[in-house]
Amino acid sequence: MDPFLLTALGLLGLLAVLDLFVGVSNDAVNFLNSAVGSRTAPFRIVLTVAAAGVLLGATFSSGMMEVARSGVLMPEKFTFNDVMVVFCAVMVADVLLLNLFNALGLPTSTTVSIIFELLGATATLAFWKIWQAGEPLADIGAYVNSGKALSMIMAILVSVAVAFVAGLVVQFLLRLVFSFRYEKAYRYLGGLFGGIAMTSLFYFLIMKGAKGASFMTPERLAFLKDNSDLILWSCFIGFTVVFQALITFFNTNVLRYVILAGTFSLAFAFAGNDLVNFVGVPLAALDSWHIFSAAPGADPAVFTMEGLREPFAASTGWLVASGLVMVVTLYCSKKAHRVIRTSVNLSSSTRGGREQFGSSLPARVLVRASLNANTLIRQFLPESVLEGIGSRYKKKTLQPGERELPFDEIRACVNLVVAAALIASATSLKLPLSTTYVTFMVAMGSSLADGAWDRESAVYRISGVLTVISGWFMTALSAATLCAVVTLLFQTFGMGLMIAGMVVALVVIIKTNFLTKEKEKSIEEDEGIAGGDVETIRTLLKEAIPVERARTIELLADSIDAFLVADAQKLTDCRDAAVDLLEEVSVARGNYYRMALYQGTKADRDARNFYYRSYSAMKDLAHGLRDQVSVTENYVKNSHSAMTGLMAENLKQISAELNRLKADFTTERAQALLTLLDKAQSDYLVQSNAESVSLRKSELYLGKILYTRELVTRYQMVSFLEARLNFQA
């Protein structure tokens, strides 16, 4: 056996493992965000439930593996060497592309990625073969399975509209039934709702998805088909009765069970539909090798791969092993947690918080059009109908210490059940539906129906949706293009470059995912402060003020030092750090608006005012620091003249005094620095009279003096506010 070929197969296996890691990091949001957003259970429990769903769902994905084998390429038109070029190029391009999107923290579609990579590689190799053979370009249809590829692409596009409308309609109807204050209706209808939800999940996952399982026999499938009505009615009646009894006699919250079951089901459906995106190509390559090996003495450059059209059942062992890799990724991937936060933020109902995306012109146009349409509709509907609908959307009053969730349990159930049903249906039809498209658009539809997109947040939410969807379509273009280029290189330079390319992909993925240390926030970390009581605020300010003060002073001193030696790179680093500081302080100050939702005592309200004033001062300083460092950075990068004489010497002394103040912020130290600043300003007048000092240099120098003075006085005020708060018992 050719050692190069064995090496290529081994590298494909390693890339499959890493592709699973990168892909699941990207797609974990699909089945975790609803349970995380509703905080129905601790994150570890949610992960465990999802892991069980992924592991079992992997064994139901056997039927989907045909997509990689013959869903895009016509195997009888390609030789063994050809398909190995295609499969290797697809894996290299796929791993690198998904890793890039993960690094940007954007959800994207692994399904779109794999399909368009297969299309790009197959079409490129087909054009190569047509050109070599002197055939007309019209013969491209004989090489590319355009009918199947088009049906898969159309299924993905249609799923966007179907998922959004389904989430919108189902959520709107359920909100009319239950309202936001659903405790009363839940007492009487909770069992029925739970029974319908659980039966729907069972039907779509087991009844519809069973034929894709690697361990299902024709006899078992026939039994499910012949007894489907009896099984479904038994499930519905059984779940309804049990849930209603739990509600009535034990006051149990069965919605949590539905959410956890939905999380399991969506993870199950994800693994069943999307596993082909990660291991389908390596398994197809392995199967190609088995087919070729069964023909001793065959020439790999001539032997064609009709065998890939034969019925195929993936080994249960390979599927379970793939599921285990996915489970490990769920627990270990930090990037998965970052993508979850993106999706939860976009569908959050929380008002007044920080939005993840800015506004855009298309979003503004859509919001304005929607407002005009809403005004028009309200003119035709009776006032009684509008009042009735409005009464169902009145939220319950939060109790002291109670946090407003990104969305409640009713919406979490809708997100999970509707998405799982749509994905499982596509799996039963052997269509590689984009789980990212479906779950994201269901969540967006349900959040719109729930009033989460109010006038304060709609333009930012729509901008976020447009940004993410644009990323998906950019995936299609970039995947096809990248894979076409890689295929052309592999076909031109042969097996040596194929192995080198896979090694490079392995090195890049290992370095970016395993060797780069990165501070990540816990998925359960809350940026808010419960009810904003006086003790919590006192403790927070005591811990936060010294840290923020030290960071601000240190960045200012470092930027002055970098400016004096014209270190542009150090100034760029300082500017980036100042931007991060401003972002963090802005988020912390935004917690005040959450505190305002709670009544509390007069002492609590006074403490919140201290909190707001302290963080407003620190935010203004962080904003000024960012501007100061940016101006200094541009000054150095534009190669303007350096500071000299008294001005340079004073800046050195200011930097040194800042470092002393950072270590010991006392009244004496602060006064010493203010005195030095007075001297520095007087010395400017002396130097400017003795020599010509440019306006740009003068403004930079005086700006640093002014900002440093403001920093000292503002933090003295913050210390005074903190002292007053501590004195107030």
Side-chain angles (χ1 to χ4, degrees), residues 230-415:
L230 176 62
I231 294 173
L232 291 176
W233 277 110
S234 299
C235 285
F236 171 67
I237 295 172
F239 278 120
T240 301
V241 170
V242 171
F243 281 165
Q244 194 61 48
L246 289 173
I247 294 171
T248 304
F249 299 109
F250 300 98
N251 200 30
T252 303
N253 183 4
V254 300
L255 294 179
R256 294 188 174 184
Y257 296 108
V258 174
I259 292 172
L260 290 176
T263 300
F264 172 89
S265 301
L266 195 50
F268 182 103
F270 156 76
N273 192 278
D274 273 20
L275 187 60
V276 63
N277 301 343
F278 313 124
V279 301
V281 169
L283 288 180
L286 181 62
D287 197 43
S288 299
W289 175 64
H290 286 308
I291 294 171
F292 173 70
S293 299
D299 185 352
V302 177
F303 184 82
T304 54
M305 301 305 298
E306 295 89 347
L308 290 177
R309 283 199 178 276
E310 297 297 322
F312 170 77
S315 167
T316 301
W318 285 118
L319 298 180
V320 171
S322 301
L324 289 173
V325 174
M326 298 167 82
V327 167
V328 172
T329 302
L330 285 180
Y331 283 99
C332 300
S333 175
K334 302 297 183 182
K335 290 185 178 180
H337 300 174
R338 182 193 306 150
V339 180
I340 291 170
R341 283 196 298 274
T342 298
S343 186
V344 170
N345 288 343
L346 278 174
S347 55
S348 172
S349 299
T350 304
R351 303 289 196 272
R354 163 178 163 264
E355 296 291 342
Q356 182 153 348
F357 294 90
S359 62
S360 63
L361 179 60
R364 294 170 186 162
V365 171
L366 287 173
V367 170
R368 178 56 57 186
S370 299
L371 290 173
N372 293 335
N374 179 63
T375 302
L376 182 63
I377 293 172
R378 293 179 70 90
Q379 293 176 355
F380 290 95
L381 290 178
E383 191 65 29
S384 59
V385 173
L386 294 175
E387 290 179 359
I389 295 175
S391 67
R392 312 306 289 172
Y393 279 82
K394 288 182 179 178
K395 292 192 173 183
K396 65 179 182 179
T397 304
L398 295 174
Q399 300 301 315
E402 184 180 2
R403 294 176 299 178
E404 184 178 12
L405 300 177
F407 42 82
D408 65 10
E409 293 168 321
I410 296 293
R411 178 137 63 101
C413 291
V414 171
N415 290 347

Side-chain angles (χ1 to χ4, degrees), residues 32 42 74 306 315 404 428 449 467 472 521 551 567 609:
L32 290 175
M74 296 291 196
E306 295 89 347
S315 167
E404 184 178 12
S428 69
T467 298
W472 292 333
K521 292 168 63 177
R551 290 176 65 190
D567 189 340
N609 290 333

